[in-house]
Amino acid sequence: MKVLVINGPNLNLLGTREPEIYGSSTLSDIQQNVEGLLSQAGFSCDFFQSNAEHEIVEKIQAAISNTAFIIINPAAFTHTSVAIRDALAAVAVPFIEIHLSNPHARESFRRHSYLSDIAEGVIAGFGENSYYLACEAVIKRLQHPKKC
Amino acid sequence: MKVLVINGPNLNLLGTREPEIYGSSTLSDIQQNVEGLLSQAGFSCDFFQSNAEHEIVEKIQAAISNTAFIIINPAAFTHTSVAIRDALAAVAVPFIEIHLSNPHARESFRRHSYLSDIAEGVIAGFGENSYYLACEAVIKRLQHPKKC
Amino acid sequence: MKVLVINGPNLNLLGTREPEIYGSSTLSDIQQNVEGLLSQAGFSCDFFQSNAEHEIVEKIQAAISNTAFIIINPAAFTHTSVAIRDALAAVAVPFIEIHLSNPHARESFRRHSYLSDIAEGVIAGFGENSYYLACEAVIKRLQHPKKC
Amino acid sequence: MKVLVINGPNLNLLGTREPEIYGSSTLSDIQQNVEGLLSQAGFSCDFFQSNAEHEIVEKIQAAISNTAFIIINPAAFTHTSVAIRDALAAVAVPFIEIHLSNPHARESFRRHSYLSDIAEGVIAGFGENSYYLACEAVIKRLQHPKKC
Amino acid sequence: MKVLVINGPNLNLLGTREPEIYGSSTLSDIQQNVEGLLSQAGFSCDFFQSNAEHEIVEKIQAAISNTAFIIINPAAFTHTSVAIRDALAAVAVPFIEIHLSNPHARESFRRHSYLSDIAEGVIAGFGENSYYLACEAVIKRLQHPKKC
Amino acid sequence: MKVLVINGPNLNLLGTREPEIYGSSTLSDIQQNVEGLLSQAGFSCDFFQSNAEHEIVEKIQAAISNTAFIIINPAAFTHTSVAIRDALAAVAVPFIEIHLSNPHARESFRRHSYLSDIAEGVIAGFGENSYYLACEAVIKRLQHPKKC
Amino acid sequence: MKVLVINGPNLNLLGTREPEIYGSSTLSDIQQNVEGLLSQAGFSCDFFQSNAEHEIVEKIQAAISNTAFIIINPAAFTHTSVAIRDALAAVAVPFIEIHLSNPHARESFRRHSYLSDIAEGVIAGFGENSYYLACEAVIKRLQHPKKC
Amino acid sequence: MKVLVINGPNLNLLGTREPEIYGSSTLSDIQQNVEGLLSQAGFSCDFFQSNAEHEIVEKIQAAISNTAFIIINPAAFTHTSVAIRDALAAVAVPFIEIHLSNPHARESFRRHSYLSDIAEGVIAGFGENSYYLACEAVIKRLQHPKKC
Amino acid sequence: MKVLVINGPNLNLLGTREPEIYGSSTLSDIQQNVEGLLSQAGFSCDFFQSNAEHEIVEKIQAAISNTAFIIINPAAFTHTSVAIRDALAAVAVPFIEIHLSNPHARESFRRHSYLSDIAEGVIAGFGENSYYLACEAVIKRLQHPKKC
Amino acid sequence: MKVLVINGPNLNLLGTREPEIYGSSTLSDIQQNVEGLLSQAGFSCDFFQSNAEHEIVEKIQAAISNTAFIIINPAAFTHTSVAIRDALAAVAVPFIEIHLSNPHARESFRRHSYLSDIAEGVIAGFGENSYYLACEAVIKRLQHPKKC
Amino acid sequence: MKVLVINGPNLNLLGTREPEIYGSSTLSDIQQNVEGLLSQAGFSCDFFQSNAEHEIVEKIQAAISNTAFIIINPAAFTHTSVAIRDALAAVAVPFIEIHLSNPHARESFRRHSYLSDIAEGVIAGFGENSYYLACEAVIKRLQHPKKC
Amino acid sequence: MKVLVINGPNLNLLGTREPEIYGSSTLSDIQQNVEGLLSQAGFSCDFFQSNAEHEIVEKIQAAISNTAFIIINPAAFTHTSVAIRDALAAVAVPFIEIHLSNPHARESFRRHSYLSDIAEGVIAGFGENSYYLACEAVIKRLQHPKKC
């Protein structure tokens, strides 16, 4: 069973960009940790970053046949992409929306997400730990689907 | 080091109320699991439920001297209590806001929280797992404060 | 079969407070009349007033096992209590929302109710008669459940 | 003393239209019951339905000389007719606004009424019983004008 | 040259309804005065009242061929009728919107008019004098079209 | 099988009114073409125009027994009539909303329609062709109900 | 008895500025006509223009002792001056608000007036005739105070 | 004559909580000063703090018979309690609303108060001096009721 | 003469995604039918789908020299793309906006389109027939440009 | 040390204008009392009134070198003057905003102040006592700057 | 050819007021530089500052006959003066709106300008360089009127 | 030192598209002029256009190491791209936002920019001169960083 982890625009800068807000780990540090957590629980992981909305849309479309869960940090696309919302709704793979920082503590336009209302759940504000908590959530959900 | 877990109004009904939404575990099932997770990591736990805003305010006030972290499922008070917000701001103990269900998938008035913008992070939509993920988050945060 | 009649904050002042708006009957006058109407129709009555949101929440929670209908005059809590809404939704006992005066003829913040959209019905503006009309409604509803 | 009962657009379809929402009684069934209740209390009844705003306006204008109370189910005109509001204000006959279903549980545009703030009272959500409760209210009000 | 004077719903009650606001002259008193003023200036007058939107729409449609100016007191239709707006725009006869009372001093919904932005001008708040001032305006406009 | 084509207020002026916007065909030209298209496909046609909301409401009510589809150009009533919406919902005959011009390119109040969200579909901006396209849509829909 | 006529900012440019909108008469042409109309009816006239809010405020304050009516074309101050509103309310001299052009046909910020709700009446859209109609209104009002 | 001084939620923390904003005096320091000021002027003082809305409601209700003035620092309840507003309106004892800090300089939700429009006056932003200024205001008001 | 048919994001999934809403035809089925209809009328067809906003922008830019009409189903980009709007405005090729489902019957954010106010017309809610109706519209428009 | 007391437009009318709202003391009565209070505490006073925004702006600018505190009753300019706000921010002299009446109990546009969020504090609703309380506040603040 | 440079309220304080935001150059330093730049390009310069709206209005009015371009830093009047907008529209001299700081990075009320939509262009955020850039823009525009 | 000049979607059409609004210079004409201005001042220039949001995001990301200033004409992305905002904030290179036309004089959705509040400055409405003025601004800023 595969878990797809999607990272939106500018997350390739992680570790170099405002470390006091986002931490000093790079996206590839996080990838390693995520892959470790998931493989330990018996899941494979497809870890993906793109700055292009259409590449994310197409990655989600491709998930339709072989993906048990999606973890998505949509970054800026949280607030602007109906196309990603529509792709997630179309493939009907359950997904978790995550954020490094807490969007409610930032500019007011970050309070609206095009994904939250169709997400399984939302995890925000824990820095790189948001990824690891989402892994835990996915593992719990796939191992004990009845629990929540 | 103590972790305070606060549960807002109507959560005492858990397990009996709309199990298809909130799961069939009772609040005391959750309490046991939470205490297990935290004690395993070396933290004591004060697990508290009240339907009264002032009791929650006072519980938070009392946390000022001996509590390392607060996990709060404010339930209905999420949307109506400035007093709880003020108490949390006053004691300055870091806290995580959790929700069993996904507030963005419910009535529109549930989209506004008086707590989110001053929370460390928010976890919503994972049923009882929201509690356990918050425990993980607290443990990670207290053991590696530099990480996020 | 029991009917629970709940009275929100400041209704204990009834008869003493602005009688030209609210009439000169006291809450205990109303209680007597309500009990009379309901017992005549074969229902027992639990008549309750509180200025505390949590006491009303807990009264509603307790209704889960033995109450056929709730009549609630939520007074100020109409506009501010999500906790009471959640309690009513949780116990799933059908309820009628009543008001002594007509909220639409008062300050604009009284136009929004956290209860109306999940109530069986709403009766407002008839002074103490709002209670007696609600009793009639409950009786009709319990005696002829098919009718509406 | 005469009571005028006005029924707005589409209420002529009652009993045939979405019976699971509006009940299976026809408007003429309701008329019979209303006339019965009122005549029993010593009042005559003028029961009127129209799909035309101007006919309702003119019916209300005609009430100025001989009508003690108006019961109006304005249906769709609740949300769109200032002319009916002005007619009711002009004749200054006290009136009760009723609804079969609960407008707060339907589309958001049904939350605004052009009549509520000048009505004596509002009764909504009780199916055909909304009519009978309004009759009770009128009878109580005309027999004991001091009471509310 | 004909001037059409249109009166909206409930204006047939004029003189009987709230005389302290609207004055004690009846609509037929006003009609006599209006006809006097206009005939003195060499214009014929078609004075019309209806409580029905469609009758007003059709009266306006009929004006297309033989009417130099329309004076309209739309009353309640000011705030609710797009059909009257469309009729006035279609026939392209210049018109003046008048009101007996000052809509800005009344309920807030009276501040919006569907006609004002396509009217030649607006006269409001002068009681029956609003009609006579509109006549003056029409006469000035038709006798000295260049002036404004 | 009958198709009912309803035309709202001021459409009787078609061909005479702002031809550069609405074209120079009259409503009876359109009626002929519509009847031709529908009869060619084996449907009879009831083509109706009224400036009165209640006549349109009653025409729709009468359609309940013998009409397969309604095409409605509600004109000004698009933005103001809840009664027509309620009639269409009550009879439950599928309908298409059409407009000669494009409401999104006109005044901002024309952007809201009381009908669109319960319509099968909407066709706007094609002048008289909006009617013929709606006929095509009805024919396709009735001949191949499975297709959309 | 004196009538004060106040002209707000930029009206000194009248006749030179956008004559196709405001007409070609200068403010002093208008002054002559206004003085003529008022003196004919036995009233003296104080005709005043200023581009300064405080000069208008002080002119109004001075009117307290000797002025029967104020006609004010507040121009830009319509939308921005609470000080002029307060001055008019303080001196309690009845006043008419006039506009050369129709504010509803211009930018949306011109739809709000700080004066309209406390004015006797409003006359807008008649070019210089707005002044003369206001004179008529004042004369009618002062000669027949009972009429409106 | 008694003056009731009410302190809302979290004010028991005063002196310990964010002293750079709220000062270092405790609530009991303030109580001593307030009692001194009032007794010097011949008034007794009932100084009360509660974190519970219902206790404040009931304290206000009890004031009906023996209290000349209420000074209330509603803290968080400023923005959320209609019940306290209703209690204050019911007992009809004049009251002053005070705040330690300036609510207009904080989060935007603090700009709305459920009490201000029915208060005698409002004093905000002077730290503990807000209490002493309110005492002065009460003393002036009770000794020279005509003055304001 | 060429007609360009543009399909926005996720439309490549057509036929596989929520067939009960969007029908079971694939985009290539639709392409065949569209090409058939257009070639029958003597037009060539360029049928294009992309999940990338910039590819659609560039496709539209390229249309400037050789395209008589554009039919666009912008899907998610309807609500988020000013770039596509600007491209369509820049090339000044007339276009029709189409939708498979009825956006007014879905989430409220789908009610706003960045394209509708500059489109020739809009066709929505007819499933794949929306395409064929748009072809009819284009054909009518290109063969009889005077008609609408 | 000098205290500057600024009075906005129409306050020169004090004592003559609506005495039941604003009291019967004139501004010069108040000036005497204010000067008395301040000189008693060892401060000189510059008491200033103007109906002109620019004169107030310039008075504030001049305060930069020699003024310890400003008390300002901005009257109508509260709601309309960004220039006064900017002047106060530029000179950086601490100031108190006062009002005779309670703005929250008046028209809704009086609820917004351009000054409150940068004021030290706000005192409103105490008639002329608002001035004397502000003097007390200034004296306390200048004598014990640490206290708040 | 003359260029008029207008400076709004509080700009006379430049160089003394918050230099970290507005720079340390005084307005007369800027005047010298502006005059230098313009005279070098062959234009005379009228450099004007006022804290009074009416003086700015009158300066603009006087520009009608002899001014090729206006550069205006409206400061606080940006957000509050319709009179200045009307004066600029009346004289029809093209103008550039400039700001020292970036209004979008300050309080939200600074986001609205009464001038921007009728300005040739807007330059904001460059400190005193905003003036010099505007001079360049004017020079370019007057020397090559065809270029933009 | 390098200056990066970024051009958003559809700017590749410049010179061909609505020349009466945008001028007849092509983007490559502008590029030549910009390169000339910057090289004259000793700066190299990287001039870039893309219709793809992700290409602009990545161009900005690449600027982190070697770019002194960014000039960006975001075109349609002004109003829709949070990703570009985030990229600009992440690289922390100062930037100027420019527009050919004046967004305040166009559709209302163009009034909101996702970039303005974090830009150094904004220049809008000068056609191609907006580019050259921005170059001047950059040169001034880099040569005299203290000046603004």
Side-chain angles (χ1 to χ4, degrees), chain E residues 20-32:
Chain E
E20 71 291 354
I21 304 183
Y22 299 102
S24 59
S25 302
T26 64
L27 195 60
S28 106
D29 296 338
I30 292 173
Q31 176 169 0
Q32 265 187 317

PDB file of all heavy atoms in Angstrom, chain E residues 20-32:
ATOM      1  N   GLU E  20     -50.533  61.529  10.244  1.00  0.00           N
ATOM      2  CA  GLU E  20     -49.452  62.348  10.813  1.00  0.00           C
ATOM      3  C   GLU E  20     -48.166  62.172  10.004  1.00  0.00           C
ATOM      4  O   GLU E  20     -47.290  63.016  10.013  1.00  0.00           O
ATOM      5  CB  GLU E  20     -49.223  62.029  12.303  1.00  0.00           C
ATOM      6  CG  GLU E  20     -48.589  60.694  12.619  1.00  0.00           C
ATOM      7  CD  GLU E  20     -49.473  59.497  12.319  1.00  0.00           C
ATOM      8  OE1 GLU E  20     -50.656  59.676  11.958  1.00  0.00           O
ATOM      9  OE2 GLU E  20     -48.975  58.357  12.431  1.00  0.00           O
ATOM     10  N   ILE E  21     -48.042  61.041   9.274  1.00  0.00           N
ATOM     11  CA  ILE E  21     -46.882  60.850   8.398  1.00  0.00           C
ATOM     12  C   ILE E  21     -47.189  61.281   6.961  1.00  0.00           C
ATOM     13  O   ILE E  21     -46.408  61.966   6.331  1.00  0.00           O
ATOM     14  CB  ILE E  21     -46.417  59.365   8.380  1.00  0.00           C
ATOM     15  CG1 ILE E  21     -46.102  58.870   9.789  1.00  0.00           C
ATOM     16  CG2 ILE E  21     -45.195  59.195   7.457  1.00  0.00           C
ATOM     17  CD1 ILE E  21     -45.559  57.447   9.851  1.00  0.00           C
ATOM     18  N   TYR E  22     -48.332  60.850   6.461  1.00  0.00           N
ATOM     19  CA  TYR E  22     -48.600  61.017   5.038  1.00  0.00           C
ATOM     20  C   TYR E  22     -49.554  62.175   4.716  1.00  0.00           C
ATOM     21  O   TYR E  22     -49.883  62.404   3.563  1.00  0.00           O
ATOM     22  CB  TYR E  22     -49.171  59.720   4.465  1.00  0.00           C
ATOM     23  CG  TYR E  22     -48.224  58.560   4.599  1.00  0.00           C
ATOM     24  CD1 TYR E  22     -48.398  57.600   5.583  1.00  0.00           C
ATOM     25  CD2 TYR E  22     -47.115  58.443   3.750  1.00  0.00           C
ATOM     26  CE1 TYR E  22     -47.512  56.543   5.711  1.00  0.00           C
ATOM     27  CE2 TYR E  22     -46.235  57.383   3.882  1.00  0.00           C
ATOM     28  CZ  TYR E  22     -46.444  56.440   4.864  1.00  0.00           C
ATOM     29  OH  TYR E  22     -45.570  55.394   4.993  1.00  0.00           O
ATOM     30  N   GLY E  23     -50.041  62.879   5.728  1.00  0.00           N
ATOM     31  CA  GLY E  23     -50.968  63.969   5.479  1.00  0.00           C
ATOM     32  C   GLY E  23     -52.394  63.460   5.341  1.00  0.00           C
ATOM     33  O   GLY E  23     -52.631  62.252   5.260  1.00  0.00           O
ATOM     34  N   SER E  24     -53.373  64.393   5.321  1.00  0.00           N
ATOM     35  CA  SER E  24     -54.770  63.964   5.307  1.00  0.00           C
ATOM     36  C   SER E  24     -55.410  64.064   3.931  1.00  0.00           C
ATOM     37  O   SER E  24     -56.574  63.725   3.773  1.00  0.00           O
ATOM     38  CB  SER E  24     -55.565  64.790   6.325  1.00  0.00           C
ATOM     39  OG  SER E  24     -55.453  66.147   5.962  1.00  0.00           O
ATOM     40  N   SER E  25     -54.710  64.525   2.946  1.00  0.00           N
ATOM     41  CA  SER E  25     -55.287  64.558   1.596  1.00  0.00           C
ATOM     42  C   SER E  25     -55.413  63.137   1.050  1.00  0.00           C
ATOM     43  O   SER E  25     -54.536  62.305   1.277  1.00  0.00           O
ATOM     44  CB  SER E  25     -54.381  65.359   0.643  1.00  0.00           C
ATOM     45  OG  SER E  25     -54.195  66.668   1.114  1.00  0.00           O
ATOM     46  N   THR E  26     -56.500  62.910   0.321  1.00  0.00           N
ATOM     47  CA  THR E  26     -56.650  61.603  -0.326  1.00  0.00           C
ATOM     48  C   THR E  26     -55.953  61.641  -1.687  1.00  0.00           C
ATOM     49  O   THR E  26     -55.599  62.704  -2.188  1.00  0.00           O
ATOM     50  CB  THR E  26     -58.134  61.254  -0.540  1.00  0.00           C
ATOM     51  OG1 THR E  26     -58.641  62.220  -1.456  1.00  0.00           O
ATOM     52  CG2 THR E  26     -58.904  61.299   0.768  1.00  0.00           C
ATOM     53  N   LEU E  27     -55.815  60.432  -2.278  1.00  0.00           N
ATOM     54  CA  LEU E  27     -55.164  60.360  -3.577  1.00  0.00           C
ATOM     55  C   LEU E  27     -55.974  61.124  -4.617  1.00  0.00           C
ATOM     56  O   LEU E  27     -55.427  61.696  -5.561  1.00  0.00           O
ATOM     57  CB  LEU E  27     -54.997  58.895  -3.996  1.00  0.00           C
ATOM     58  CG  LEU E  27     -54.024  58.661  -5.140  1.00  0.00           C
ATOM     59  CD1 LEU E  27     -52.631  59.138  -4.791  1.00  0.00           C
ATOM     60  CD2 LEU E  27     -53.982  57.186  -5.525  1.00  0.00           C
ATOM     61  N   SER E  28     -57.299  61.173  -4.403  1.00  0.00           N
ATOM     62  CA  SER E  28     -58.094  61.884  -5.419  1.00  0.00           C
ATOM     63  C   SER E  28     -57.970  63.395  -5.226  1.00  0.00           C
ATOM     64  O   SER E  28     -58.054  64.154  -6.198  1.00  0.00           O
ATOM     65  CB  SER E  28     -59.533  61.368  -5.427  1.00  0.00           C
ATOM     66  OG  SER E  28     -60.406  62.279  -4.853  1.00  0.00           O
ATOM     67  N   ASP E  29     -57.751  63.857  -4.015  1.00  0.00           N
ATOM     68  CA  ASP E  29     -57.397  65.278  -3.823  1.00  0.00           C
ATOM     69  C   ASP E  29     -56.126  65.603  -4.610  1.00  0.00           C
ATOM     70  O   ASP E  29     -56.041  66.615  -5.317  1.00  0.00           O
ATOM     71  CB  ASP E  29     -57.114  65.587  -2.336  1.00  0.00           C
ATOM     72  CG  ASP E  29     -58.313  65.397  -1.437  1.00  0.00           C
ATOM     73  OD1 ASP E  29     -59.464  65.431  -1.942  1.00  0.00           O
ATOM     74  OD2 ASP E  29     -58.108  65.190  -0.206  1.00  0.00           O
ATOM     75  N   ILE E  30     -55.158  64.741  -4.458  1.00  0.00           N
ATOM     76  CA  ILE E  30     -53.875  64.976  -5.131  1.00  0.00           C
ATOM     77  C   ILE E  30     -54.058  64.949  -6.646  1.00  0.00           C
ATOM     78  O   ILE E  30     -53.515  65.784  -7.368  1.00  0.00           O
ATOM     79  CB  ILE E  30     -52.838  63.927  -4.675  1.00  0.00           C
ATOM     80  CG1 ILE E  30     -52.486  64.147  -3.200  1.00  0.00           C
ATOM     81  CG2 ILE E  30     -51.587  63.987  -5.535  1.00  0.00           C
ATOM     82  CD1 ILE E  30     -51.590  63.083  -2.576  1.00  0.00           C
ATOM     83  N   GLN E  31     -54.855  63.971  -7.103  1.00  0.00           N
ATOM     84  CA  GLN E  31     -55.097  63.863  -8.548  1.00  0.00           C
ATOM     85  C   GLN E  31     -55.661  65.169  -9.111  1.00  0.00           C
ATOM     86  O   GLN E  31     -55.182  65.664 -10.144  1.00  0.00           O
ATOM     87  CB  GLN E  31     -56.084  62.713  -8.808  1.00  0.00           C
ATOM     88  CG  GLN E  31     -56.475  62.583 -10.278  1.00  0.00           C
ATOM     89  CD  GLN E  31     -57.240  61.304 -10.582  1.00  0.00           C
ATOM     90  OE1 GLN E  31     -57.488  60.499  -9.690  1.00  0.00           O
ATOM     91  NE2 GLN E  31     -57.591  61.119 -11.836  1.00  0.00           N
ATOM     92  N   GLN E  32     -56.613  65.736  -8.416  1.00  0.00           N
ATOM     93  CA  GLN E  32     -57.216  67.006  -8.862  1.00  0.00           C
ATOM     94  C   GLN E  32     -56.163  68.098  -8.964  1.00  0.00           C
ATOM     95  O   GLN E  32     -56.081  68.820  -9.950  1.00  0.00           O
ATOM     96  CB  GLN E  32     -58.295  67.437  -7.877  1.00  0.00           C
ATOM     97  CG  GLN E  32     -59.699  66.991  -8.295  1.00  0.00           C
ATOM     98  CD  GLN E  32     -60.744  67.584  -7.372  1.00  0.00           C
ATOM     99  OE1 GLN E  32     -60.544  67.592  -6.147  1.00  0.00           O
ATOM    100  NE2 GLN E  32     -61.829  68.083  -7.942  1.00  0.00           N
TER     101      GLN E  32
END
